[in-house]
Structures are given as structure tokens and as C-alpha cells.
Amino acid sequence: MNTNSLADHGVIGALRQTFSHDMKADLARLRVGLTSAAEKTGLLDVSYRTVDSPVGRLLLAATPTGLVRVAFACEDHDDVLASLAETISPRIMLASARFDDVCRQIDEYFQRRRNRFEVQLDLQLVKGFRRTVLGHLVDIPYGQTVSYAELARLSGNAAAVRAAASACSHNPLPVIVPCHRIVRSDGSIGKYLGGVEAKHLLLAMERGS
């Protein structure tokens, strides 16, 4: 075999690797620059990123007002983004740096070093009684649970148990707004948007078990 060919092949391979690395870095810088420019000119209505967690990869989406959506992988992140484009704005862009503080708080939560999130929220996806319910969810203490019936009572309508349950099942900000702390009156865990296993994990983690 021609040694010159081997040398040439090695040089070409190295150049390709360098080019690939530089191109990825350039694209990353370009994305950051475009995102920054879009934010400054008011052209970015929804930014998003994903973050890994013990309950799977989470999609985080935010508007200039605050965090507007947290979605589990089972919801299909592409479908969620398409829905946000339809209900809020099609001007959506990946903007990882925008979520550094939220991701830090999520990491601290799963490491049992945080029991309350300090995040600006945008509740525009929630209306009426459901919005009232979400306002009471954030007041349920870390590591504790209440029933759907009790949640309905706290929300001002003791007879609206099904409506309170529906508000939990349609919570656009799970984990951050802790609908996983709501259980059935008989003590059984009930359903959860992220799956029953995820709900079990969150409750067990908060209880320290």
C-alpha cells in the first residue's frame, strides 16, 4: 500500500475533523448571536431547551414573561412546540442560555437541595378555575400531599373535584407547579401527565425514601 496515500488520508481525516469541530463551534456561536439579536429586537416570543432529569428529558419553554411550559418526553416535544407555535407564537427558537437558572434549580431539586422553585411563570395557557387551582398547587408544602377533594375546597369550590383533577392533568408546568402532590381521597396515587412511575419517583424523593 502506498504510504503517501496513507499520509494523505491521515491529513485529510485530520482536516475533516478540525473543520467539523470548527463548524459546530461556529454554528453554536451563530445560534447564540441570532437568539440574542432576536430577543433584543423583540422577534423572539418563545424560547426553549431540553434538560435531562430522573423523570426523563424535560422540555422547557418560556416567553419574555416567564416559564410557560414544561413537558415530559411522553408528550412528544415536537408536538408541544407545534402547539406553542399555534397558541402563542410561531416565533420560537432554541435558546439554551435563557434557562440556565431554571436548569440549576431543577438540578438542585432532584438533588434534594431545593424544596421550592423561584421561577417567573407565564400562566397564559391556563384560564378560569384551572388557573385558580394552579395558584393553590404551589402552596402545597414539599413532601406533603392533599386530595383532589381538598384541592377543590382550597380553590373555592368543594363540589368541583373533577374540575380540580382536570386542572392537574392539564397543568402546563409540571414539577415546577407540583400537581404530583395531589392524590385520591383513598390515598391511592392517581394518574399523572408524566406517568405513574414519574409521580411515584417525585413523591418518594420528596419524602426522602
Side-chain angles (χ1 to χ4, degrees):
M1 184 177 292
N2 191 321
T3 55
N4 288 332
S5 296
L6 283 173
D8 290 344
H9 181 74
V11 170
I12 291 173
L15 288 173
R16 284 176 175 169
Q17 185 175 8
T18 301
F19 177 74
S20 177
H21 179 271
D22 289 346
M23 184 170 65
K24 288 179 180 178
D26 288 342
L27 286 174
R29 285 192 290 269
L30 177 62
R31 183 181 293 114
V32 170
L34 288 173
T35 301
S36 178
E39 288 178 330
K40 289 178 180 178
T41 56
L43 296 176
L44 179 58
D45 294 327
V46 181
S47 54
Y48 73 92
R49 70 162 288 177
T50 58
V51 59
D52 290 327
S53 81
V55 291
R57 177 162 289 190
L58 300 173
L59 171 72
L60 309 177
T63 67
T65 300
L67 192 67
V68 73
R69 191 73 166 87
V70 176
F72 293 99
C74 62
E75 297 179 72
D76 192 316
H77 292 168
D78 288 339
D79 285 349
V80 172
L81 289 173
S83 177
L84 292 174
E86 183 176 342
T87 57
I88 298 180
S89 170
R91 298 193 297 190
I92 297 178
M93 185 177 291
L94 177 67
S96 297
R98 165 73 171 76
F99 298 91
D100 286 349
D101 183 57
V102 179
C103 290
R104 176 183 58 79
Q105 292 190 41
I106 290 174
D107 286 342
E108 291 172 352
Y109 168 74
F110 281 110
Q111 293 168 11
R112 298 179 180 172
R113 293 166 43 221
R114 171 177 291 275
N115 55 28
R116 189 177 183 89
F117 289 98
E118 298 172 347
V119 178
Q120 288 293 116
L121 302 179
D122 182 344
L123 298 178
Q124 66 173 288
L125 298 177
V126 194
K127 308 295 182 184
F129 184 67
R130 287 181 178 177
R131 189 161 183 163
T132 301
V133 170
L134 262 63
H136 289 283
L137 285 174
V138 296
D139 293 328
I140 299 171
Y142 178 93
Q144 297 184 28
T145 60
V146 303
S147 68
Y148 292 104
E150 178 64 10
L151 179 63
R153 187 191 68 77
L154 290 171
S155 301
N157 189 343
V161 178
R162 288 188 177 181
S166 178
C168 291
S169 67
H170 291 84
N171 176 13
L173 296 160
V175 181
I176 304 297
V177 177
C179 57
H180 60 273
R181 295 175 190 161
I182 311 302
V183 298
R184 292 172 176 164
S185 296
D186 62 4
S188 59
I189 197 167
K191 296 180 180 180
Y192 188 56
L193 184 61
V196 174
E197 288 186 5
K199 189 170 184 177
H200 272 295
L201 186 151
L202 291 169
L203 291 176
M205 181 194 72
E206 291 188 3
R207 291 169 181 154
S209 57

